Amino acid sequence: MKLRTMLLGATTASALLAAAATAQAETVLRWTSQGDALTMDPMGQNEGPTSTMARQIYNPLVERDADMKLEPSLAVSWTPNGNVWEFKLRQGVKFHDGADFNAEDVVFSFARAQHEDSDFKGNITSVKSVKAVDDYTVHIETDGPNPILPNQLTSIFMMDKGWAEKHGVTKPQDFEGKEETYAVRNTNGTGPFILEKRLPDELTILVRNPNYWGKDKGNVDRVEYRPIKNAATRVAALLSGEVDFVLDAPLQDLNRIKSQDGLQVVTVNQIRTIFFGMDQGAAELRSSDVKGKNPLADKRVRQAMYQSLDVKAIQRVVMEGLSFPAGIITSPGVHGFTKALDERRPFDVAAAKKLMADAGYADGFSIQLDCPNNRYNNDEKICQAAVAMLAKIGVKVKLDAIPKSQHFPKIKKRETDFYMLGWGVPTLDSHYVFSFLHHSKGSWNGTGYTNALVDTMVDGMAAEVDLAKRDEMIAKAWAQVKEDVVYLPVHHQVIAWGMSDKLTLPIVPNDSPQFRWAQLK
């Protein structure tokens, strides 16, 4: 039975929060971005800002440092032996309510992450069993050797089994994000910050965990987050000193921010690619004037749409130069990426028109483009530019730009013909991209693309321990999906953070600020 220790005379998170509140908050960091976390359930939504918020509160077994290298978190070591990895757990760690962290929580957390409602089950499809050898040793058996298992665990957060049972949240929130459970607005992690207040789309307050096990050198006692969708209002908040940090500073305002005393802009090439998905598997599109067949099922149509997109113009005009045209839907820094694979087909409207005519669509067709308007840098503007470009080859696009909380479920439920998506790669390995976006069973594969050879290669690269053979498999898979024109790559993002010059916060390519590192003068 798991031990629960008395902390400050109480065993509840509220008691710990009350104790923390009595101490004077010397340093308060106020920040904003255009879109809030979708949930506080750490396994509910595999979405960047949601995982960023969870990462302040929860810990995985394995983490990444500011240089994106693997480092110990709740596991202090991991050793492979055939199909079994042995993880030695960190001792003396407590959850925010005072409960001890041990192997029982790891077994529970993996079972929860593998639940059908978990949006992270795709990270650990190879995991066959998780067994507690003793309180601080866990054996994870995979279905065949898995050389990249530690990389796949950086977003699998550890939860307290007893807390989850007490509050009826032993399974994750439903993947559509509609279910209201206790874990949606309440947390109990082992991380550097404790959730004090959660008002979705309005205000989230975190306070420093006085019993955090880590040795990070941050000095922030309190973090206050307020989402601000309007770009001009976000900039105004930074310029006025209302906030110290803007995660997604509007690209058109970066020079203005840099020119103001007391402010700074930092940039880095993000590990995220922006692209369009097309439902090529449906018998008939939902939004098209073409009935009885699907124009996107014809590769010539998909290639025509690809070659009609002037991504250099998007880079220059829409992105203010802060992007790099993409030929595949993963970015530099991800294992398997090569410059040769990333070469684009040429922008050629005349060739695109011929492809359309050859496919029997010389007069084009109509379709709806679903686009988020509060997730990626200039996401709606990119979609607007694409609409104008596709019109030149007769593809008449109706744009529907909506908040990400409404947009993402349409992809996962296969309710969209044509959509924008951006994809980061927390594992830094191509398998992550293939398993979610190209595999016929991929949970984010809204294209209906099915290729038995690709499925076999994706499954194989998860278990191949001969790295040369594995790399060859990855290269062949990229070449195949590129040839099949499964997606329309647009660009690899460059991220820009705007912040007070009194704030020191390492910018990371995954666009996930870690406030445990923050120093605010």
Side-chain angles (χ1 to χ4, degrees):
M1 179 68 87
K2 181 174 174 179
L3 291 174
R4 291 185 169 267
T5 58
M6 300 297 286
L7 179 64
L8 300 177
T11 58
T12 64
S14 59
L16 182 56
L17 288 171
T22 61
Q24 182 179 2
E26 297 177 351
T27 308
V28 180
L29 172 63
R30 299 176 176 88
W31 72 289
T32 187
S33 68
Q34 63 180 321
D36 198 0
L38 298 172
T39 180
M40 290 291 104
D41 189 320
M43 298 164 189
Q45 296 284 333
N46 186 5
E47 188 256 355
T50 303
S51 291
T52 291
M53 190 66 76
R55 203 172 294 280
Q56 317 304 322
I57 300 166
Y58 292 93
N59 293 123
L61 295 180
V62 184
E63 185 62 275
R64 291 196 182 276
D65 64 16
D67 296 319
M68 301 301 289
K69 295 178 181 177
L70 291 179
E71 65 175 359
S73 186
L74 291 181
V76 294
S77 67
W78 45 94
T79 307
N81 183 11
N83 294 3
V84 177
W85 284 80
E86 179 174 279
F87 286 79
K88 290 291 186 180
L89 305 183
R90 191 176 300 277
Q91 299 186 31
V93 175
K94 296 185 182 300
F95 285 96
H96 295 159
D97 70 351
D100 294 323
F101 163 74
N102 60 28
E104 181 181 70
D105 300 303
V106 176
V107 174
F108 165 76
S109 297
F110 270 84
R112 194 177 192 272
Q114 289 182 308
H115 189 277
E116 62 181 0
D117 286 341
S118 168
D119 205 14
F120 290 85
K121 58 183 179 294
N123 296 42
I124 49 176
T125 54
S126 71
V127 173
K128 188 175 179 180
S129 68
V130 182
K131 297 179 180 178
V133 178
D134 56 44
D135 280 352
Y136 297 103
T137 306
V138 172
H139 282 176
I140 300 179
E141 182 184 3
T142 55
D143 187 12
N146 182 349
I148 61 168
L149 181 66
N151 303 64
Q152 297 173 328
L153 303 185
T154 59
S155 295
I156 305 299
F157 298 106
M158 297 297 104
M159 297 182 69
D160 178 7
K161 178 183 178 183
W163 180 85
E165 290 174 342
K166 177 181 177 181
H167 296 290
V169 289
T170 55
K171 74 176 187 70
Q173 179 189 19
D174 68 296
F175 79 92
E176 294 181 35
K178 294 179 180 179
E179 184 181 12
E180 182 72 26
T181 72
Y182 189 79
V184 170
R185 296 174 188 253
N186 299 274
T187 63
N188 185 35
T190 57
F193 292 95
I194 303 167
L195 179 65
E196 181 182 89
K197 179 179 286 189
R198 173 63 177 169
L199 301 174
D201 297 318
E202 183 180 343
L203 174 66
T204 301
I205 297 178
L206 309 176
V207 296
R208 179 172 287 278
N209 175 10
N211 297 292
Y212 178 50
W213 56 267
K215 305 297 182 183
D216 305 302
K217 297 181 179 179
N219 70 343
V220 172
D221 300 304
R222 185 180 181 88
V223 178
E224 297 181 358
Y225 170 77
R226 289 178 173 82
I228 301 175
K229 179 180 177 181
N230 183 272
T233 307
R234 285 201 306 281
V235 173
L238 183 63
L239 295 175
S240 68
E242 181 183 342
V243 298
D244 307 293
F245 170 49
V246 176
L247 177 73
D248 44 9
L251 303 183
Q252 64 270 20
D253 292 309
L254 296 183
N255 288 333
R256 182 184 176 194
I257 294 170
K258 283 189 282 189
S259 67
Q260 176 153 318
D261 290 342
L263 297 181
Q264 59 177 322
V265 172
V266 292
T267 62
V268 72
N269 295 345
Q270 188 184 9
I271 299 174
R272 182 175 299 282
T273 304
I274 305 300
F275 52 90
F276 295 112
M278 304 160 288
D279 187 350
Q280 55 216 257
E284 180 180 297
L285 297 178
R286 305 155 189 82
S287 62
S288 178
D289 55 358
V290 176
K291 302 303 177 184
K293 59 180 179 178
N294 179 357
L296 298 179
D298 193 316
K299 175 186 167 181
R300 292 170 295 184
V301 172
R302 302 196 300 274
Q303 185 173 332
M305 294 170 69
Y306 181 121
Q307 293 194 250
S308 73
L309 296 178
D310 187 352
V311 296
K312 289 185 177 180
I314 292 174
Q315 176 193 38
R316 183 179 65 254
V317 178
V318 179
M319 303 304 294
E320 306 283 337
L322 291 177
S323 67
F324 295 95
I328 57 175
I329 62 168
T330 202
S331 57
V334 174
H335 186 78
F337 172 93
T338 67
K339 288 185 177 179
L341 284 169
D342 203 38
E343 287 293 321
R344 285 186 60 87
R345 287 179 166 87
F347 164 61
D348 191 331
V349 174
K353 287 182 176 179
K354 184 178 186 304
L355 285 166
M356 290 286 286
D358 291 347
Y361 299 99
D363 296 328
F365 57 88
S366 64
I367 195 170
Q368 178 170 301
L369 171 59
D370 295 309
C371 182
N373 60 13
N374 66 341
R375 176 59 187 98
Y376 311 113
N377 291 344
N378 289 341
D379 42 18
E380 186 173 0
K381 291 182 179 180
I382 296 168
C383 290
Q384 290 170 343
V387 168
M389 293 169 183
L390 289 165
K392 294 180 179 179
I393 63 168
V395 179
K396 299 170 279 294
V397 180
K398 175 188 175 184
L399 176 61
D400 187 24
I402 56 179
K404 63 180 183 178
S405 60
Q406 300 171 33
H407 176 71
F408 291 143
K410 294 183 73 171
I411 300 173
K412 290 196 283 186
K413 292 166 65 179
R414 311 293 192 268
E415 294 178 350
T416 173
D417 295 331
F418 186 29
Y419 57 91
M420 170 186 272
L421 187 59
W423 202 251
V425 188
T427 65
L428 301 187
D429 189 273
S430 289
H431 175 263
Y432 184 86
V433 188
F434 291 128
S435 62
F436 278 99
L437 298 175
H438 294 99
H439 197 284
S440 59
K441 296 180 180 178
S443 59
W444 282 84
N445 179 3
T447 69
Y449 174 74
T450 299
N451 184 313
L453 176 61
V454 171
D455 282 357
T456 298
M457 288 190 288
V458 175
D459 293 338
M461 67 183 68
E464 181 56 70
V465 294
D466 184 321
L467 297 185
K469 290 182 179 179
R470 186 174 187 274
D471 287 349
E472 183 180 358
M473 208 177 296
I474 290 172
K476 286 182 177 179
W478 275 123
Q480 185 65 59
V481 298
K482 183 176 181 178
E483 174 63 26
D484 291 344
V485 196
V486 182
Y487 293 95
L488 307 181
V490 180
H491 57 238
H492 310 304
Q493 269 195 170
V494 175
I495 49 176
W497 292 357
M499 64 179 77
S500 166
D501 63 7
K502 295 180 180 180
L503 175 63
T504 301
L505 180 63
I507 187 169
V508 281
N510 63 2
D511 203 24
S512 182
Q514 300 298 296
F515 297 120
R516 60 191 171 101
W517 300 329
Q519 288 276 350
L520 187 60
K521 298 177 183 178

